[in-house]
Amino acid sequence: MKYRNIDPELKGIAKRTPYNRAVIGCANILLPTALALTRTPSGISARSIMVQGHKGLEFRTEIFEPFGAGKNLPCLVYVHGGAFSYKASPHHKKLACIYALQANCRVYFPDYHLAPRYPYPAAYNDIISLYRYLMAGGCEKLGLAGDSAGGALAASVCNNYRREGLKRPAAQMLIYPLTDMSMQTRSMKEFTDTPLWNSKSNRRMWGYYCGPGAEERRPASPIHMVLPENIPDTYIETAEYDCLHDEGLLYGEKLKGAGAVVEINETKGTFHGYDCAVKAKITARSLQKRIGFLKKHFNA
């Protein structure tokens, strides 16, 4: 294996995976069934709502919360990853339930509109619409979280909350996030064949999501956005062998430079999507840090 220092517990999932329209189409036939068959863990109740989003189109949002939870729980919008084009996986559902149970919050898990059928700004508009819905419902503490492409969407909402007339998020949690469509970092140039995700797939993804034309694409890139004056406290987690590694760190530096409090968890021996290995020790340690971050800001 080229990347010899990958954590031994992760080597079983360290597979190269193709990414193209045919794979997206097949995956999105199978993923909804797999998600529906994924058991909601004990101690968590689940229900769903429909929210009107991009161009008035409705999208389904699942809600996970601890049994017997009161009305005033903190709310977390958890935006799943998947290259802006894959539906949520069973792993994402498991994470949503872990966040709900261990951080004692109500997790909103949107099935937002996907590229390439619905390119930018469809997904962004859906998440903004969900955020407005929760504000109108009286949620007092409202945070945002996302992994990979979901991290880009969560960051975009945090960056634009003032311009969109939204309540300031209580916190944002970004897991190996996409932040920079220019793709000029060292890790982007080096990691062309890493497990699960690589820079070749990343370039194709931006094309599906935004299409050609740099000026039209820039608004979708969090690192190119004008930051608000009061940025929510932020947790950023990166993976060592990930083409997105450097842009995650650079984005954290940009937030710090604008006055934000930023916590960085730079994991080692890992690759993009490594936390699919839910029983690995490195995943357990990262989950502890994520939960600690959420509890700190939801209980403040």
Side-chain angles (χ1 to χ4, degrees):
M1 180 178 291
K2 179 179 179 181
Y3 305 103
R4 296 179 180 177
N5 293 326
I6 285 178
D7 189 301
E9 290 188 282
L10 304 179
K11 289 183 178 180
I13 63 166
K15 311 295 183 183
R16 293 181 187 145
T17 55
Y19 175 73
N20 53 50
R21 289 177 184 267
V23 172
I24 292 168
C26 291
N28 285 341
I29 292 172
L30 300 174
L31 282 171
T33 300
L35 195 70
L37 293 174
T38 302
R39 185 181 63 86
T40 302
S42 60
I44 290 289
S45 66
R47 55 192 170 91
S48 65
I49 57 174
M50 299 300 293
V51 178
Q52 194 173 71
H54 178 68
K55 294 185 176 180
L57 298 172
E58 287 191 325
F59 62 97
R60 184 170 180 264
T61 295
E62 290 191 86
I63 304 170
F64 303 105
E65 61 186 2
F67 273 127
K71 292 183 178 180
N72 295 325
L73 275 183
C75 299
L76 179 69
V77 175
Y78 169 45
V79 191
H80 70 81
F84 302 111
S85 48
Y86 289 122
K87 286 186 171 290
S89 70
H91 174 62
H92 293 124
K93 181 175 178 178
K94 291 174 184 176
L95 287 178
C97 292
I98 288 171
Y99 298 152
L101 186 62
Q102 297 190 23
N104 193 37
C105 63
R106 183 173 291 116
V107 175
Y108 290 82
F109 186 53
D111 183 19
Y112 56 89
H113 289 92
L114 299 170
R117 182 178 180 185
Y118 295 100
Y120 175 83
Y124 169 79
N125 288 342
D126 284 348
I127 307 307
I128 287 286
S129 296
L130 176 57
Y131 199 97
R132 290 190 196 281
Y133 175 92
L134 298 179
M135 283 178 54
C139 181
E140 294 182 6
K141 285 191 177 181
L142 181 51
L144 286 153
D147 53 86
S148 192
L153 293 168
S156 297
V157 174
C158 281
N159 289 346
N160 290 322
Y161 79 88
R162 289 180 67 90
R163 286 183 288 273
E164 296 281 3
L166 304 176
K167 176 181 178 179
R168 179 183 179 273
Q172 64 173 333
M173 185 172 75
L174 311 177
I175 311 302
Y176 38 77
L178 280 159
T179 67
D180 186 1
M181 63 180 60
S182 65
M183 295 183 58
Q184 296 302 309
T185 64
R186 179 203 57 81
S187 62
M188 191 61 68
K189 294 174 182 178
E190 180 177 358
F191 296 138
T192 60
D193 60 349
T194 38
L196 299 189
W197 192 249
N198 58 57
S199 59
K200 294 177 181 177
S201 297
N202 203 74
R203 186 172 300 281
R204 181 171 290 170
M205 174 211 66
W206 279 119
Y208 290 162
Y209 184 52
C210 295
E215 289 307 312
E216 291 80 10
R217 295 169 66 181
R218 286 180 69 85
S221 183
I223 208 164
H224 295 132
M225 294 176 179
V226 177
L227 300 178
E229 291 181 4
N230 192 357
I231 303 167
D233 288 0
T234 303
Y235 171 97
I236 296 177
E237 185 174 303
T238 63
E240 183 174 9
Y241 301 116
D242 182 4
C243 60
L244 304 177
H245 173 272
D246 291 0
E247 65 189 63
L249 297 182
L250 289 171
Y251 188 63
E253 290 302 314
K254 177 171 181 171
L255 295 182
K256 288 180 184 178
V261 176
V262 181
E263 177 183 343
I264 301 290
N265 176 20
E266 195 174 358
T267 66
K268 301 297 182 182
T270 53
F271 46 86
H272 194 82
Y274 77 93
D275 51 349
C276 290
V278 292
K279 296 183 179 180
K281 292 177 182 178
I282 182 64
T283 301
R285 291 195 295 269
S286 291
L287 285 173
Q288 286 180 346
K289 292 184 178 182
R290 297 177 199 177
I291 296 300
F293 174 82
L294 292 175
K295 290 172 72 173
K296 175 182 176 181
H297 291 86
F298 282 159
N299 295 331

